[in-house]
Amino acid sequence: MQMHTKKITVSMFALFSVAIAPPAAANLKPGSFITKDGAEITPTLQTGLSSNNNFFSTPDNEESRLIWTIAPNIKAAIEDGPDSYKLDLGTSSSLHNKDSADNFTQVNIGAGVHKEFTSQHRLDINGDADWLYEPRGSGLTEGLGDAVNELVKYQQQNVLVRYEYGAQSSKAQVALKAGFFSKKYQNFREVSQYRDYDKSLIGVTGYYNTQASTRTFLEVKQENYRYDFLQANGISRDSDDVKILLGMEWEATALTSGSFKLGYQNKDFDSSERENFSGLSWEAGVNWQPLSYSTVQFTTSRAAKDPLVQGDYIKESTYGVNWTHSWSDYLSSLAGINYTNEQYTGDIGRKDKSKSARLGLNYVASNFGMVSTYVDFIDKDSTQSAIEFDRVIVGVNFTFALKAN
């Protein structure tokens, strides 16, 4: 594949907008129709054009691309008293101006059931299946530039069951959770077979209701990672991951809503040749709404996670601030910054730092359409020079939906 070097000049129009991913239809309220069986059907269609000035995520010799996207989606929901049933079907296709080998279509299927047998017994079952492609220069092709002339494709499935006992108005509730996740690659099997894995989850959470729109909780969960094939070096990647977290969640008050949990994580590998993790872990998300039309969201997390290519585990810390503001019934903006620090373990001495910024502008052109412009700034530093890159993405999306009632 021939490499081309081309820089993007960001227009003044594009600077009015931005997002790490194309902005969601924040101001658009899609309409729906009801079938004779009582199902509420909500179709949407998003199409757009973006320009990426470093498509392969390389430290130099960047290649730019123009990318057309089209993403139809249909949601179906049935409400039956306190019970509900939901189905979500969507696809996302990308067409590239330089190489048809990079064109792809992803498929996403999701379903969920909520049942309330009595005021004290509630059950949620959610599942999804996805057929996906890794972005160029990430995942298995990280640091390889355009050396691989085929997209890496994979599929994943996830099922989560949650049962909660205790009336919402009572002082205490307890929730039991179980789940299963599976990820399987579809090509480059010489390498990718060693990254196929299944993950099972079991957990229990005890809640105490303060009767002031706030619940404190203690969460204990275990995730078991099991890889399908043993690597050539004979060192197993299987591990058991246990977290014990103490936290609090609160409903919207005059100014804030959100949750946080802080505690202990222990990641124990089956093989003694891999380095285990034991230490602090947290998750937090807080929405601050000083005005009814303006919201600031703070997010942060820390945990040890499985790497895709190198190392035993990654100690990852994330921090983010995002601001959304509605200037009128038709116009809204978004802005955000995010920072990620990743420390790899396992005789590689790799450290990555990623910074991103987003700005965006959404305009509801009618009761059934919205225009979203955006620009993304991404900067990744690493102790491995082949991993470093800068990127600017500029684009515009058009979202169409039925007219809301």
Side-chain angles (χ1 to χ4, degrees), residues 86-281:
K86 297 181 180 180
L87 179 65
D88 190 343
L89 304 174
T91 67
S92 176
S93 298
S94 292
L95 304 175
H96 300 73
N97 68 321
K98 290 186 178 179
D99 194 338
S100 61
D102 292 313
N103 298 342
F104 64 85
T105 297
Q106 299 187 142
V107 178
N108 311 94
I109 302 174
V113 176
H114 175 75
K115 294 284 292 182
E116 296 192 16
F117 303 100
T118 69
S119 62
Q120 292 187 320
H121 300 274
R122 295 172 294 280
L123 179 67
D124 289 279
I125 303 175
N126 292 284
D128 54 70
D130 307 297
W131 290 261
L132 307 171
Y133 293 82
E134 289 184 347
R136 286 292 204 169
S138 69
L140 295 182
T141 62
E142 183 181 52
L144 298 180
D146 66 345
V148 179
N149 59 6
E150 182 182 355
L151 290 171
V152 178
K153 56 184 177 180
Y154 64 99
Q155 65 183 41
Q156 61 186 34
Q157 296 85 36
N158 188 43
V159 177
L160 183 64
V161 180
R162 186 179 188 274
Y163 166 75
E164 184 170 322
Y165 172 77
Q168 299 282 12
S169 58
S170 64
K171 282 279 189 180
Q173 299 90 27
V174 62
L176 304 177
K177 185 164 57 176
F180 179 79
F181 173 84
S182 176
K183 181 177 181 179
K184 311 293 181 184
Y185 282 92
Q186 305 301 297
N187 55 354
F188 298 103
R189 296 303 293 165
E190 302 83 4
V191 175
S192 66
Q193 63 177 321
Y194 303 116
R195 296 299 181 265
D196 292 349
Y197 74 94
D198 299 324
K199 179 179 68 175
S200 60
L201 163 70
I202 56 172
V204 58
T205 305
Y207 296 93
Y208 176 75
N209 194 336
T210 66
Q211 306 297 320
S213 300
T214 301
R215 291 200 301 180
T216 58
F217 62 87
L218 177 65
E219 176 182 279
V220 180
K221 66 177 180 179
Q222 176 169 327
E223 294 175 308
N224 301 319
Y225 294 79
R226 298 294 181 264
Y227 287 80
D228 291 356
F229 299 99
L230 191 64
Q231 291 180 276
N233 60 14
I235 304 177
S236 172
R237 300 178 63 86
D238 295 350
S239 66
D240 297 327
D241 193 308
V242 177
K243 289 182 180 178
I244 303 174
L245 303 170
L246 182 65
M248 177 182 293
E249 61 184 26
W250 62 98
E251 300 174 4
T253 63
L255 291 177
T256 66
S257 63
S259 68
F260 73 87
K261 46 188 175 182
L262 172 68
Y264 170 81
Q265 178 185 6
N266 182 75
K267 188 173 185 64
D268 186 19
F269 287 93
D270 287 358
S271 173
S272 60
E273 297 183 61
R274 294 198 179 274
E275 182 178 343
N276 298 326
F277 172 80
S278 179
L280 194 64
S281 180

